[in-house]
Amino acid sequence: MHIKIVQSSERSVEVSVHIMKDFTASDFSLSLSARGLESKLEKGELVEIYSASILHLLARGPQSGEACRNLGASILHSLRERGFEQCSFHTDCPADELKDIIFGIYSSAYTFDKYKTDKRFESTLELILPDVDTSSLEAELSSVLQGVFTTRDLVNEPYNKLDVSTFCALVSQYGDEYGFSTEVLGKDQIESLKMGGLLGVNKGSVNPPAFMILTLEDGSKKDSAPIVLVGKGVMFDTGGLNIKTPWKHMYDMKSDMGGAATVVGTFIALAKAGIRRRVIGLLPLTDNRPGGEAMTPGDILTMHNGKTVEVLNTDAEGRLILADALSFAKKYNPKCVIDLATLTGSAVMTFGHIASAVMSNDTALLSAIKLAGATTGENVAELPLWEEYGEALKSEIADIKNLGEPEAGAISAGKFLEFFTDYPWLHIDIAGTAYLPKPRAYRPSGGTGEMVRTLLEFIKDE
Ligand code: BES
Ligand code: ZN
Ligand code: ZN
């Protein structure tokens, strides 16, 4: 569904939304108490009342940003269910809250329907905001929505429409359009950089790997220490020779480039909002599949930093390509490095689809991300990186192995990555949050764009 914001309108509306701090003095108080709906209103729920053939949706001004975004989702749900195409908005809540409510509406109106040939169900909802300066509201929302929606689109594209080379072409085009620079390193350059992890995972593929570098400059001091964002870009994860068993929903694994898509969405949002910070994006890109040449369990890889890895499970491929990107990040003398990855089923088992798992070697960085996540409503839940968890990764014949114990899998993946870092670093496992089996309030099913807003919030304040 498309949303269109209109400042004012002469037309008579069918639906009118009222979000007020207080209803006791309003026209609705009588019908609310007559129908016993007052207590519902107390809870911040949306109440529906018909009066003079207009549907009124009433809610008390919610408190938190997340409550506002959720309310936006309920409003859209109500309107969409009945097929309404316009509504007028009346509110006395502050501009920030209204922005969050409107974001909730936009966010839940997102659909990925470009491959549907029947366009009959396409509709537009007009939001009429008579008393609000809609131009500043729209400007503020458009950059974050563009970032979040692009991430969703990239995650939702299946492998036959988005492989390594089409991804690189598309992201280069976004760079030109929004104003960040992009560089694509091909297989030859990846070989000269001795990125054994990325090359190893790519061995079974018919398509070559790529390593993308995105750059956003801060305008003035060109060599200030950058924030580096690393994103796992496994375009499709079959598991490789340790092929995924059917019950694991292999078809969802088109979303295994969710980390890379999140970094791209963040760059778009930053550039479009005109936020000037020095940010580097590093995206190792390949698919993971079996084939005559495929990486074989037991293989030993020599990584970009010269360390050796014994590959005991080819389905633990994300950490291999991330390890190369993390050691490559050192050359930027980064202020901090944040990696994003749909890394482990264990993170999904631990936090479900409600929170991303975070691990860090830096308490200040961890608190900053927790704070940013609390603002955006994108839950980040901390897991420890205690030394004991690293024991299981010791290999008898190489420096480290890519498979730990079956328990605490999200943490052993984090410990593996930590081995390749020597700067303030934070890892976000978005396996449960980047892609949803069913909608969650204002998040649609499929790609969510989760963490784009949190990264934006974090970088803005750096
Ligand atoms: N891409 C998967 C992780 C994943 C699982 C993402 C579910 C989204 C939803 C990753 O490459 C993987 O297969 N991890 C294995 C690691 C194991 C072999 C140590 C896992 O979690 O099972
Ligand atoms: Zn895997
Ligand atoms: Zn994977």
Side-chain angles (χ1 to χ4, degrees), residues 354-381:
I354 309 297
S356 305
V358 292
M359 287 149 256
S360 179
N361 61 8
D362 188 275
T363 48
L365 183 55
L366 189 61
S367 328
I369 285 291
K370 281 183 179 169
L371 190 69
T375 307
T376 59
E378 297 181 328
N379 300 321
V380 289

Side-chain angles (χ1 to χ4, degrees), residues 232 234 236-239 244 253 256-257 288 314-319 342-344:
K232 171 177 173 181
V234 173
F236 193 88
D237 183 11
T238 66
K244 288 182 184 294
M253 284 301 129
D256 214 20
M257 32 61 77
N288 181 28
T314 62
D315 198 10
E317 84 297 339
R319 62 195 77 182
T342 47
L343 202 59
T344 63

Side-chain angles (χ1 to χ4, degrees), residues 232 234 237-239 242 244 248-249 252-253 255-256 288 312-319 341-348 353 402-406 409-410 412-413 429-435:
K232 171 177 173 181
V234 173
D237 183 11
T238 66
N242 290 106
K244 288 182 184 294
K248 275 188 172 170
H249 293 272
D252 282 350
M253 284 301 129
S255 67
D256 214 20
N288 181 28
L312 291 189
N313 190 317
T314 62
D315 198 10
E317 84 297 339
R319 62 195 77 182
T342 47
L343 202 59
T344 63
S346 163
V348 192
H353 300 286
N402 80 333
L403 186 67
E405 301 292 341
S412 40
D429 192 332
I430 53 173
T433 51
Y435 190 86

Side-chain angles (χ1 to χ4, degrees), residues 305 325-334 337 420-423:
N305 68 350
L326 289 171
S327 29
F328 186 78
K330 283 178 202 170
K331 73 169 202 161
Y332 294 97
N333 289 318
V337 177
F420 295 88
T421 65
D422 62 355
Y423 37 65

